[in-house]
Amino acid sequence: MEIIYLIIGIVLGFGIGYLLLRNQSSSRLSDLLSQKNVADEKANNLLSQKQKLEGESTAQQQIILSLTSENSSSKNKLENLDRRL
């Protein structure tokens, strides 16, 4: 009879231990998944900020090129007017 109690105790111990470990691993897994989701969201935000900054940089470069062209044109006009005088 004691052997039956011993076997039942061992089986119950393994069962309870298994359930506890499974519960702990699932909570760890959910923590890791939430951390991954936060990291993915941050990465997406940084990517969108990078794209926005690249767009603004390109627009500013276009403005600089346009102003440089206007400046050169104005200098040429001024030199031509100085020659006429």
Side-chain angles (χ1 to χ4, degrees), residues 71-85:
N71 187 20
S72 295
S73 174
S74 296
K75 280 185 181 179
N76 287 337
K77 287 180 184 177
L78 184 60
E79 287 175 1
N80 288 337
L81 289 174
D82 280 344
R83 284 184 199 153
R84 289 183 187 171
L85 289 177

Side-chain angles (χ1 to χ4, degrees), residues 31-47:
D31 288 342
L32 289 175
L33 286 175
S34 65
Q35 289 176 1
K36 179 191 172 287
N37 290 338
V38 168
D40 287 343
E41 186 176 335
K42 285 181 183 179
N44 288 335
N45 287 339
L46 289 174
L47 183 62

